[in-house]
Each structure stands twice: as structure tokens, then as C-alpha cells.
Amino acid sequence: MMIIIAEFFVVILKVLWAFVTAGAKWVVRPKEKSVAGQVCVITGAGSGLGRLFAKEFARRRAILVLWDINSQSNEETAEMVRQIYHEIDTPITKDGPVGGVEEVPPFQPQVYTYACDVGKRESVYSTAEKMRREVGNVDILINNAGVVSGHHLLECPDELIERTMVVNCHALFWTTKAFLPKMLELNHGHIVTVASSLGLFSTAGVEDYCASKFGAIGFHESLSHELKASEKDGINMTLVCPYLVETGMFKGVRIRKEIEPFLPPLKPEFCVKQAMRAILTDQPMICTPRIVYMVNFMKSILPFEAIVCMYRFLGADKCMYPFLAQRKEAMNNNDAKNGI
């Protein structure tokens, strides 16, 4: 019994120390690690946040491996990355052996592109194997690919529900299983899960998307605990949970107009810069904006009816409805054109 009591007090001290260190990071910004020369795989790199992640890692001289189902848009991202490499491709100098200065040829990172449908397990495994032969081991995995069906539950075809779950959630299992074994062997790596605030708290009309993102967060947290339990301290995990981002994915989403100026959709560039800061400082989780932390905490302690009242006040209860209406209208227009 005395041992249990002693261990309990030790745990309390460790918890308090965790609060102190976390608070200190708000005051003293941690130093960002270098990713120069490290192999970084980004899924869904052909557009949106994936493209912006690629550009940010390129500026830090990482070796980029871009995955996307759309080969053309993926190549467009690769061309942007090559342009960034060219802009930073300047010689560096170091002290010579006899006190002089000699010019050192700069390290020249490369970018590789692969057409891969992460919604198909065989495509993930075959692409990963091909990539390992051509590029080498992966240091950083950015699980970014995502889709949304844009239908009310009872109007959504089963195939689209399955597609949402497979791409947003199941694909994380397959990409991680493809690259984690080598990370464990080397005790080195970083896995990033780009989820969503809709994986922390939900809203009406996007049941499949919310379920997939809740699943993604559950997967990420369980894997984080597994790595801690196996004492693989060289492998880091970062969970990215942004609020609505202006990538066009949820075009038309509206909350209450009086509240909207205080909670506008995030600029993609801002979202990725915040995520990059978290990744490069090995931060376990980043929510953007910070109010997402508060909303998630309140959801945990408030009665459900209180949450409903808050949603209605904010206009968050039906915020997806304009988006769903636009998607439905667009589909009807496409069906009409196909019928002509």
C-alpha cells in the first residue's frame, strides 16, 4: 500500500511538471528542428493543404515524395517545389582547413511524384514498396488526403459513405503499416495526421465525414499510446485539427452572420504555418484557432442539451446546410447536362 501511495504522489508531481513545461512553451518558443535531407511523404499533395505542406517542407530542404490520385495536379505541385528548390539553391561557405573560406556545393533535394489512390489498400502498399526502392526510407509521413461526400445521410449513396471512411480513416492504417516498421527499427520518424475540428465535435449533415475524422483521431491517439508503451521515443506524432479551412472543400458553410466575423474560415496558408510550427517542435497536437481547445473541453463537461443551445446560438447546428444545398444543386445540374 505504501508503494502505491508513493507512486501516486510521483504521478501527481509528473502531471504538475507536464503543466509547467507546457506553459513554458507558450512563453519560450521551442527551437524548430531541421528536416533538411529527410524524406517526407505527403498524401493528397495535389491541392489544398497537401500542396501547401509540400511547399513549406521544400523551403526547409526536405526530400519530397508527393502522393495524389490526380497525376496532373500532383505534377503541378512538384513543379512548384522544384521552383522553390531552385530559389534556395545558393552556395554556402565554411571555414577552410587553413583559415580561409571555401565554397561548398549546396545539398540538392529532389521531389518525387506517385499516382496513388489511398482508398485502395493494394495501391498504397505497391506504391510504398516502389517508393522505398527508388527513394529510400521515410522520415516524415503526412497523412493529409481527405474527401467529403456533401450529402445528408439518407440522401448519400452507400458508395460515397464507404469512400469517405476509407480515404479519411482506413487509409491511415495502410500508410502507417507501410512505413512504421522501418521507423520502429531505426527508432526515428514523425507521423502527422491531418484531421479536423469535426473529429473533436460534430455538427448536422456530415455524419460520414465526422465519423471518419473521429476515427482518424482515435487511430492517431491509440498509435501514440502504443509508441509510448513500446518506449520508442525517437518517433514523434502530431495531430492537426483545424477549424473550417478555405480550400473549397466546404464551400458555402455559414454560421450565424453576427458571429462569423469572430470565427471566419481559416486561410489555408495560416493553417499550414501553424501546423508546421507544431510539427517542427514535436508538438503532439495543434488546434487552429485556439478556441477549438475550449470548445472541445466544454463539450466534455456540458450536458448535451446545453451544447445544442450553444450550437443554435452560434448557428453551428445547421452551418453545413448551405454547403449541402450547393452540392445537391451542382449534382442536379450535372445530371441535367448528362441527360441532354
Side-chain angles (χ1 to χ4, degrees):
M1 179 61 71
M2 293 301 295
I3 293 176
I4 295 292
I5 295 174
E7 287 185 359
F8 178 71
F9 279 108
V10 171
V11 168
I12 291 176
L13 290 174
K14 288 184 176 180
V15 170
L16 293 174
W17 180 247
F19 274 102
V20 171
T21 55
K25 290 179 181 178
W26 282 56
V27 179
V28 181
R29 183 175 172 180
K31 182 180 179 182
E32 295 184 353
K33 65 183 180 182
S34 172
V35 293
Q38 295 193 24
V39 177
C40 176
V41 173
I42 303 175
T43 66
S47 61
L49 299 185
R51 175 172 288 178
L52 293 174
F53 272 118
K55 293 167 74 173
E56 287 293 331
F57 276 102
R59 294 186 181 101
R60 291 163 174 81
R61 308 182 72 82
I63 298 171
L64 271 299
V65 182
L66 310 179
W67 286 20
D68 201 277
I69 193 173
N70 188 322
S71 299
Q72 181 178 345
S73 61
N74 207 27
E75 286 296 335
E76 290 172 359
T77 301
E79 191 55 40
M80 296 176 186
V81 167
R82 294 185 187 101
Q83 181 60 35
I84 293 172
Y85 285 161
H86 178 72
E87 292 172 357
I88 63 176
D89 187 17
T90 55
I92 58 176
T93 59
K94 72 174 184 179
D95 293 337
V98 291
V101 175
E102 62 178 339
E103 190 175 274
V104 180
F107 168 73
Q108 295 183 345
Q110 292 179 284
V111 57
Y112 302 84
T113 59
Y114 295 90
C116 178
D117 182 356
V118 296
K120 296 180 179 179
R121 181 175 61 250
E122 297 80 6
S123 178
V124 171
Y125 290 152
S126 61
T127 304
E129 183 58 35
K130 181 181 179 182
M131 194 222 78
R132 271 192 293 267
R133 293 195 304 266
E134 297 176 353
V135 184
N137 296 324
V138 172
D139 299 292
I140 305 168
L141 171 61
I142 311 291
N143 281 315
N144 166 77
V147 296
V148 61
S149 65
H151 295 276
H152 288 280
L153 175 62
L154 299 183
E155 299 174 357
C156 188
D158 293 346
E159 295 78 13
L160 289 183
I161 294 175
E162 291 174 346
R163 178 69 178 169
T164 301
M165 295 300 299
V166 168
V167 173
N168 295 359
C169 184
H170 299 176
L172 307 182
F173 290 79
W174 303 331
T175 56
T176 303
K177 287 183 70 176
F179 298 121
L180 182 58
K182 198 63 180 182
M183 291 183 180
L184 290 171
E185 180 184 330
L186 301 175
N187 192 24
H188 170 75
H190 199 138
I191 299 175
V192 179
T193 302
V194 180
S196 168
S197 60
L198 290 177
L200 298 171
F201 45 85
S202 58
T203 188
V206 281
E207 289 84 357
D208 55 341
Y209 185 82
C210 290
S212 69
K213 291 302 183 179
F214 268 80
I217 292 176
F219 164 81
H220 181 98
E221 291 183 348
S222 180
L223 180 58
S224 299
H225 285 296
E226 184 170 341
L227 292 173
K228 289 293 185 182
S230 60
E231 298 183 351
K232 294 294 182 179
D233 56 354
I235 304 175
N236 296 297
M237 301 279 294
T238 298
L239 177 63
V240 180
C241 293
Y243 175 61
L244 295 173
V245 185
E246 285 185 340
T247 59
M249 192 173 188
F250 287 99
K251 186 176 180 181
V253 173
R254 297 294 301 272
I255 60 174
R256 186 172 177 174
K257 62 181 181 179
E258 294 88 354
I259 304 295
E260 203 164 43
F262 302 98
L263 274 176
L266 300 174
K267 297 294 182 183
E269 295 80 7
F270 172 76
C271 176
V272 169
K273 285 187 181 297
Q274 293 293 105
M276 286 297 297
R277 181 183 301 175
I279 294 167
L280 297 176
T281 57
D282 296 329
Q283 186 174 327
M285 180 180 183
I286 174 71
C287 293
T288 312
R290 294 189 185 278
I291 194 173
V292 173
Y293 293 108
M294 184 189 305
V295 175
N296 187 42
F297 174 72
M298 293 175 68
K299 175 207 164 185
S300 302
I301 62 174
L302 291 178
F304 180 71
E305 289 303 322
I307 296 172
V308 172
C309 289
M310 290 181 60
Y311 269 47
R312 288 174 177 170
F313 171 74
L314 296 171
D317 56 333
K318 298 180 180 180
C319 64
M320 289 289 171
Y321 285 19
F323 157 70
L324 297 173
Q326 285 188 17
R327 292 292 286 262
K328 186 174 183 179
E329 182 180 356
M331 287 194 65
N332 291 338
N333 290 339
N334 287 335
D335 290 342
K337 290 179 181 178
N338 293 333
I340 295 175

